[in-house]
């Protein structure tokens, strides 16, 4: 109960603040739109009460929006009658209701954000243009003339209508709108800048009347709000649509425009409002569009302006502490009561102060920083935005939006046409393979680019066209691939694999070669070449550019036989995924793993099998940094069967003579130096304990190599490659010395 009372209290306070902000905006937007002033207030009431009751949003506030000023002004002008315009508003509301009921609110997600941003910026520019005359002291009739002069490029014969008093008020209003939140006393900042601007403007005009009569504004420069006192006065101002205009084609054109623009602005403002909401509440877009549709239908039936969710009022609502949507409903109710009993006070408000408020609002819509931020996103984003602005400012809203959409579509088509295969040159043990990876969808727009790519392939190449991620391929592209398969590849003696084509394109799949490591390939490689392959694989691992492999092919190719290039003796550590570290695949490596890569009889037997029976040419002992078992050994901790393993590490500990203090598992440098020593001593042990390996080593049939893997970076530091018997003694003597980090360091 207490929480409900607290919510109502917070919502009521917030609603008063929102009403103070909404009142001058409703009047100013109606004035700028060429609509009756009462229509702006009526839409604020409907947006608060009707939309507030139906909306699922707890924070969004609806009413007439600056973003629709240009649309409304143009529509009223072209339709020639406000009653006819109301019919368009009614139809727009019905369309929004249908959109909400059909649950197609997601359509707004497909409108490019640059076109929407351009629309808002253009509206901001047009708001500024239309309000400059009022800010300079023109009356409403002359203001419209000024707007026409601007559109035609002729501004003569208007300078005589400037009014110094109005200009002072508009400048003061702008200064208040810009600096109020920055310099006002903290306790006064709760009062919206627009309210302060209106109060000061009224006081200024009163002062002009008393002390500077030449600056005073007459009734032509003040709001002329209709008498709405009491229910009879209120109902007398309501207007109904002209249903006889239902055959007018332009009514439906503007109904669609209003529905689209209002829906887009609503969804965008709702999303922005939810980002400001500290409780992160989410409202259904479809229900919001339904609520807005009902609101616009009511506005059309009774004489109001089009309604959208409005970010300015919504942000004020949130920042004022609103808890539920009751705040929105309360603000509409307060506006209704104020219109019924206090409307006559509105006649003291100068038009110039409303113009100043709207000029500031328009500036926020077309802020130069926003334009520069759009420019920094690239020409693909900026040019459609700029085209939308130019189209709307120098033509009309519908043509401007269409122009912006066409520019966006042109860039999409241009970029799509440039997209082709992703071309990857892969160095396999068997040699170079060029892989062309098709995108998810390949249309005819990519035809020219794909033909150019295929034509550049050299003779006798090995090529894979990879379609594993591709869902759709245009018929033109299929024909290009068939021609390349049947004619070009044969003429150039290109070995071609077509892989991964889905069921409806399965007839294209073919294999001309298998990229698995074969016996012939291994026989042709030297130990140094195998080492280079491992280094290059680690380089790809570090750069996250692994070779694309067909695992099914690998499984089939290695099912009957295997031809690994090398054997790696590694630690069991879960952070050392050997095949991934060297970017190799099924059948490429023997991997034997034991804690701290310690040599025992079983491991040595495995190494002998790999060298003598299978014929590997390279044996790699792979240690790693931050080794857990070596830490335990450095702490002299012996328990259970681990004691046998730790005993084999002790020589490497004794060999580490650089560290004088903290010779325990907590010293990372000490542990890593021991790990390097242990790799060297393990290489020594292999040659000393295995006559088979020693003999093959002396004959130059196998090489031994030490390496250390850094568990933080993923880099493998390789030691010196021992290839010939003549080098054996000197290399083994070198191994007996402590190894520093640099001794094993080779560029990968």
């Amino acid at each position: 109960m207490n929480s409900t009372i607290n919510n109502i209290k917070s919502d009521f306070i917030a609603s008063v603040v929102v009403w103070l902000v909404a009142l001058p905006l409703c009047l100013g937007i109606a004035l700028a739109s060429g609509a009756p002033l009462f229509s702006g207030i009526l839409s604020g009431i409907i947006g608060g009460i009707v939309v507030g009751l139906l909306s699922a949003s707890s924070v969004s506030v609806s009413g007439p929006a600056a973003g629709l000023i240009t649309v409304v002004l143009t529509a009223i002008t072209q339709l020639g009658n406000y009653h006819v315009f109301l019919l368009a508003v009614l139809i727009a509301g019905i369309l929004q209701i249908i959109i909400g009921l059909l649950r197609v609110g997601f359509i707004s997600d497909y409108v490019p954000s640059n076109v929407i941003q351009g629309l808002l910026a253009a509206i901001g520019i047009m708001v500024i243009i239309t309000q400059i005359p009022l800010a300079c002291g023109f009356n409403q009739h002359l203001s419209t003339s000024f707007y026409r002069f601007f559109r035609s490029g002729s501004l003569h014969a208007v300078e005589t209508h400037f009014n110094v008093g109005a200009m002072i008020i508009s400048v003061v209003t702008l200064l208040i709108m810009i600096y109020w939140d920055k310099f006002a006393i903290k306790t006064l900042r709760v009062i919206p800048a627009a309210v302060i601007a209106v109060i000061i403007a009224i006081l200024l005009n009163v002062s002009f009347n008393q002390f500077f009569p030449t600056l005073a504004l007459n009734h032509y420069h003040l709001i002329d709000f209709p008498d709405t006192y009491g229910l009879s006065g209120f109902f007398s101002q309501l207007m109904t649509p002209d249903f006889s205009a239902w055959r007018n084609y332009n009514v439906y054109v503007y109904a669609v425009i209003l529905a689209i623009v209002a829906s887009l602005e609503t969804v965008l403002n709702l999303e922005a409002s939810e980002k400001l909401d500290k409780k992160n509440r989410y409202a259904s877009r479809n229900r919001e569009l339904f609520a807005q549709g009902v609101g616009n239908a009511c506005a059309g039936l009774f004489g109001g302006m089009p309604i959208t969710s409005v970010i300015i009022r919504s942000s004020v609502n949130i920042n004022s502490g609103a808890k539920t949507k009751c705040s929105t409903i309360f603000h509409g109710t307060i506006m209704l009561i104020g219109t019924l009993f206090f409307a006559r006070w509105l006649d003291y408000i100068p038009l110039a102060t409303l113009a100043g408020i709207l000029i500031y609002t328009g500036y926020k819509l077309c802020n130069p920083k926003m334009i520069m931020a759009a420019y920094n996103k690239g020409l693909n984003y900026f040019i459609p935005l700029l085209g939308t602005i130019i189209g709307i400012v120098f033509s009309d809203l519908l043509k401007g939006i269409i122009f912006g959409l066409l520019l966006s579509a042109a860039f999409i088509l241009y970029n799509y046409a440039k997209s082709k295969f992703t071309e990857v040159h892969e160095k396999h043990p068997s040699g170079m393979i060029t892989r062309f990876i098709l995108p998810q969808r390949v249309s005819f727009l990519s035809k020219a680019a794909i033909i150019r790519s295929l034509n550049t392939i050299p003779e006798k190449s090995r090529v894979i066209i990879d379609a594993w991620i591709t869902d759709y391929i245009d018929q033109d592209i299929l024909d290009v691939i068939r021609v390349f398969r049947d004619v070009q590849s044969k003429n150039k003696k290109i070995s071609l694999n077509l892989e991964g084509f889905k069921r409806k394109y399965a007839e294209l799949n073919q294999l001309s070669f298998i990229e698995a490591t074969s016996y012939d390939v291994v026989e042709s490689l030297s130990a140094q070449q195998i080492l280079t392959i491992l280094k290059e694989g680690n380089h790809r691992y570090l750069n996250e550019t692994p070779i694309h492999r067909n695992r099914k092919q690998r499984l089939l190719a290695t099912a009957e036989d295997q031809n690994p290039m090398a054997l790696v003796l590694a630690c069991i550590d879960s952070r050392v995924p050997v095949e991934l570290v060297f970017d190799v695949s099924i059948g490429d490596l023997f991997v034997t793993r034991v804690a701290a890569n310690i040599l025992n009889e079983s491991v040595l037997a495995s190494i002998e099998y790999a060298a003598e029976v299978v014929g590997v040419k390279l044996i790699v002992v792979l240690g790693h940094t931050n080794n857990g078992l070596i830490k335990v050994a450095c702490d002299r901790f012996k328990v259970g069967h681990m004691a046998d393993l730790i005993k084999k590490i002790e020589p490497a500990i004794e060999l580490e003579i650089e560290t004088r203090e903290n010779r325990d598992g907590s010293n990372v440098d000490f542990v890593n130096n021991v790990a390097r020593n242990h790799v060297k001593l393990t290489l020594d042990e292999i040659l000393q304990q295995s006559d088979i390996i020693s003999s093959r080593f002396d004959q130059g049939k196998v090489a031994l190599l030490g390496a250390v893997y850094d568990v933080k970076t993923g880099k493998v530091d390789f030691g010196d490659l021992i290839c010939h018997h003549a080098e054996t003694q000197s290399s083994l003597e070198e191994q007996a010395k402590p190894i520093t980090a640099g001794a094993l360091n080779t560029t990968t």
Side-chain angles (χ1 to χ4, degrees):
M1 182 67 179
N2 288 334
S3 62
T4 302
I5 294 173
N6 288 334
N7 285 346
I8 292 175
K9 180 181 178 181
S10 298
D11 288 337
F12 181 77
I13 294 172
S15 70
V16 174
V17 179
V18 174
W19 168 67
L20 291 173
V21 173
L23 181 63
L25 286 176
C26 288
L27 292 170
I29 291 169
L31 182 67
S33 303
L37 294 179
F38 177 77
S39 68
I41 297 294
L42 179 61
S43 289
I45 295 169
I46 294 172
I49 299 175
V50 177
V51 177
L53 286 169
L54 296 175
S55 172
S57 175
S58 300
V59 295
S60 175
V61 180
S62 298
L68 287 173
I69 288 175
T70 305
V71 186
V72 175
L73 181 62
T74 306
I76 294 173
T77 302
Q78 291 201 4
L79 294 175
N81 185 298
Y82 190 72
H83 293 273
V84 177
F85 170 73
L86 290 178
L87 181 60
V89 176
L90 172 60
I91 296 172
I94 294 171
L95 290 175
Q96 284 186 292
I97 292 172
I98 293 171
I99 290 172
L101 291 175
L102 293 178
R103 307 183 67 82
V104 291
F106 66 89
I107 291 177
S108 61
D109 297 335
Y110 292 92
V111 178
S113 59
N114 51 0
V115 174
I116 296 172
Q117 197 172 2
L119 165 66
L120 295 176
I123 288 169
I125 293 170
M126 299 309 297
V127 167
I128 293 172
I129 291 170
T130 56
Q131 294 309 298
I132 287 176
L134 288 174
C136 294
F138 289 46
N139 60 40
Q140 295 184 52
H141 173 72
L142 290 172
S143 175
T144 305
S145 301
F146 182 94
Y147 178 66
R148 291 198 186 105
F149 285 145
F150 169 80
R151 295 293 286 268
S152 66
S154 174
L155 296 174
H156 62 279
V158 295
E159 66 276 2
T160 57
H161 299 287
F162 286 103
N163 184 293
V164 177
M167 294 176 69
I168 292 173
I169 288 174
S170 60
V171 170
V172 170
T173 298
L174 279 171
L175 292 174
I176 292 170
M177 295 299 295
I178 295 169
Y179 295 111
W180 176 254
D181 290 335
K182 297 179 182 178
F183 297 110
I185 300 172
K186 189 174 181 180
T187 54
L188 294 178
R189 289 180 195 168
V190 296
I191 305 175
V195 175
I196 298 298
V198 168
I199 293 172
I200 291 180
I202 293 172
L203 294 176
L204 274 174
N205 194 42
V206 171
S207 300
F208 292 161
N209 277 300
Q210 290 291 324
F211 305 108
F212 307 100
T214 57
L215 298 179
L217 304 181
N218 57 36
H219 67 279
Y220 291 112
H221 300 97
L222 303 175
I223 285 180
D224 184 17
F225 198 77
D227 183 10
T228 58
Y229 187 81
L231 290 176
S232 59
F234 182 86
F235 284 115
S236 68
Q237 297 300 321
L238 298 180
M239 291 182 281
T240 56
D242 182 0
F243 290 102
S244 66
W246 68 272
R247 294 182 179 179
N248 187 336
Y249 169 78
N250 287 326
V251 168
Y252 300 98
V253 171
Y254 280 103
V256 171
I257 294 173
L258 286 169
I260 293 173
V261 176
S263 297
L264 287 174
E265 191 164 344
T266 289
V267 173
L268 291 173
N269 286 330
L270 181 62
E271 185 174 341
S273 301
E274 289 171 348
K275 289 179 180 178
L276 296 174
D277 183 14
K278 295 178 182 178
K279 294 185 178 181
N280 297 315
R281 288 168 288 188
Y282 176 87
S284 167
R285 272 51 177 161
N286 293 311
R287 180 169 170 181
E288 184 66 25
L289 290 175
F290 174 82
Q292 296 289 337
V294 174
N296 276 318
C298 291
L301 279 173
F302 301 113
M305 294 179 63
I307 296 168
T308 74
S309 172
V310 187
I311 185 60
I312 296 175
R313 276 161 257 185
S314 300
S315 61
V316 170
N317 189 39
I318 295 167
N319 294 330
S320 300
K323 303 295 184 183
T324 70
K325 66 177 183 178
C326 288
S327 172
T328 300
I329 300 169
F330 288 162
H331 117 272
T333 305
I334 293 170
M335 189 170 290
L336 173 62
I337 294 171
T339 305
L340 287 173
F341 301 108
F342 305 104
R344 64 188 63 181
W345 294 97
L346 299 178
D347 289 342
Y348 289 97
I349 300 175
L351 297 176
T353 194
L354 296 183
I357 292 170
L358 286 170
I359 287 172
Y360 178 73
T361 304
Y363 173 79
K364 291 177 70 175
L365 290 173
C366 60
N367 192 319
K369 290 183 179 179
M370 179 274 295
I371 303 295
M372 287 304 301
Y375 177 77
N376 292 333
K377 292 180 180 179
L379 294 180
N380 287 11
Y381 187 92
F382 181 70
I383 290 178
L385 179 146
L386 185 62
T388 304
I389 294 173
I390 294 172
I392 293 174
V393 172
F394 291 98
S395 181
D396 59 51
L397 187 129
L398 179 59
K399 292 177 182 176
I401 292 175
I402 292 173
F403 186 49
L405 290 173
L406 289 175
L407 286 173
S408 291
F411 273 104
I412 292 171
L413 292 175
Y414 173 73
N415 291 324
Y416 200 91
K418 288 199 305 181
S419 67
K420 48 179 180 178
F421 302 118
T422 298
E423 185 173 340
V424 181
H425 298 283
E426 302 173 343
K427 190 172 183 180
H428 291 257
S430 57
M432 293 298 299
I433 295 176
T434 301
R435 182 182 296 269
F436 293 102
I437 305 172
L438 292 175
Q440 187 175 13
R441 298 180 66 82
V442 195
S443 80
F444 70 93
L445 296 170
S446 301
K447 181 178 178 179
I450 289 174
I451 290 174
R452 284 195 299 270
S453 296
L454 295 178
N455 286 341
T456 60
I457 299 173
E459 293 184 353
K460 298 182 180 179
S461 299
R462 293 195 300 165
V463 176
I464 298 174
I465 297 179
D466 184 337
W468 287 104
I469 65 170
T470 307
D471 295 324
Y472 169 78
I473 307 174
D474 190 90
Q475 189 60 48
D476 283 354
I477 306 302
L478 293 174
D479 291 340
V480 169
I481 295 173
R482 291 189 184 102
V483 170
F484 181 75
R485 177 194 64 186
D486 299 335
V487 180
Q488 290 175 273
S489 64
K490 292 179 180 178
N491 291 340
K492 290 178 148 184
K493 298 180 181 179
I494 293 171
S495 297
L496 177 65
N497 281 2
L498 300 173
E499 301 178 358
F501 288 85
K502 300 296 189 293
R503 181 177 298 177
K504 54 186 174 181
Y505 315 118
E507 54 92 9
L508 286 172
N509 287 318
Q510 73 166 37
L511 288 179
S512 297
F513 62 91
I514 297 177
E515 69 238 53
T517 308
S518 65
Y519 174 80
D520 293 337
V521 169
V522 174
E523 280 297 301
S524 68
L525 295 173
S526 67
Q528 183 65 52
Q529 288 172 321
I530 295 171
L531 173 60
T532 300
I533 290 170
L534 296 181
K535 287 181 178 180
E536 290 173 346
N538 184 240
H539 182 74
R540 293 192 299 271
Y541 172 72
L542 291 172
N543 290 281
E544 298 187 355
T545 55
I547 288 176
H548 300 76
R549 293 182 173 90
N550 188 327
R551 288 187 176 83
K552 289 185 178 179
Q553 285 184 23
R554 284 273 180 164
L555 288 170
L556 293 173
T558 57
E560 299 296 329
D561 194 15
Q562 61 174 331
N563 298 282
M565 300 175 290
L567 177 140
V568 179
L569 169 56
C571 180
I572 62 170
D573 197 292
S574 61
R575 298 166 296 175
V576 190
V578 177
E579 285 85 357
L580 292 179
V581 165
F582 294 119
D583 189 30
V584 293
S585 186
I586 300 166
D588 286 336
L589 292 179
F590 279 125
V591 180
T592 179
R593 304 183 69 144
V594 64
N597 44 274
I598 286 174
L599 191 69
N600 57 36
E601 290 185 1
S602 298
V603 171
L604 191 58
S606 299
I607 295 173
E608 290 178 345
Y609 166 77
E612 181 71 16
V613 178
V614 180
V616 298
K617 298 179 181 180
L618 180 64
I619 296 169
V620 179
V621 177
L622 182 65
H624 68 86
T625 60
N626 200 25
N627 189 299
L629 185 63
I630 290 181
K631 283 184 178 180
V632 172
C634 291
D635 288 332
R636 309 294 178 175
F637 179 77
K638 299 179 180 180
V639 63
H641 292 288
M642 281 191 295
D644 295 332
L645 297 178
I646 291 170
K647 185 177 181 181
K648 291 180 177 291
I649 299 173
E650 289 176 348
I653 297 175
E654 300 303 323
L655 198 61
E656 209 292 300
I657 59 176
E658 291 185 355
T659 304
R660 301 295 183 182
E661 299 178 352
N662 300 324
R663 292 172 60 87
D664 56 40
S666 64
N667 188 333
V668 176
D669 292 334
F670 177 62
V671 170
N672 290 342
N673 287 341
V674 171
R676 294 185 180 96
N677 288 344
H678 181 57
V679 169
K680 283 280 197 175
L681 294 177
T682 302
L683 290 169
D684 193 358
E685 282 187 77
I686 293 172
L687 288 173
Q688 290 178 357
Q689 295 183 24
S690 173
D691 292 337
I692 292 175
I693 301 300
S694 179
S695 175
R696 293 184 70 83
F697 175 77
D698 290 342
Q699 297 169 26
K701 293 181 179 179
V702 68
L704 275 69
L705 175 70
V708 176
Y709 174 76
D710 191 323
V711 295
K712 286 185 178 180
T713 66
K715 182 178 180 179
V716 177
D717 289 338
F718 293 93
D720 295 328
L721 183 64
I722 306 171
C723 297
H724 303 293
H725 179 61
E727 300 174 359
T728 302
Q729 293 302 321
S730 61
S731 297
L732 290 177
E733 289 172 4
E734 183 67 24
Q735 288 174 0
K737 298 178 182 179
I739 305 172
T740 63
L744 290 174
N745 201 15
T746 302
T747 303
T748 59

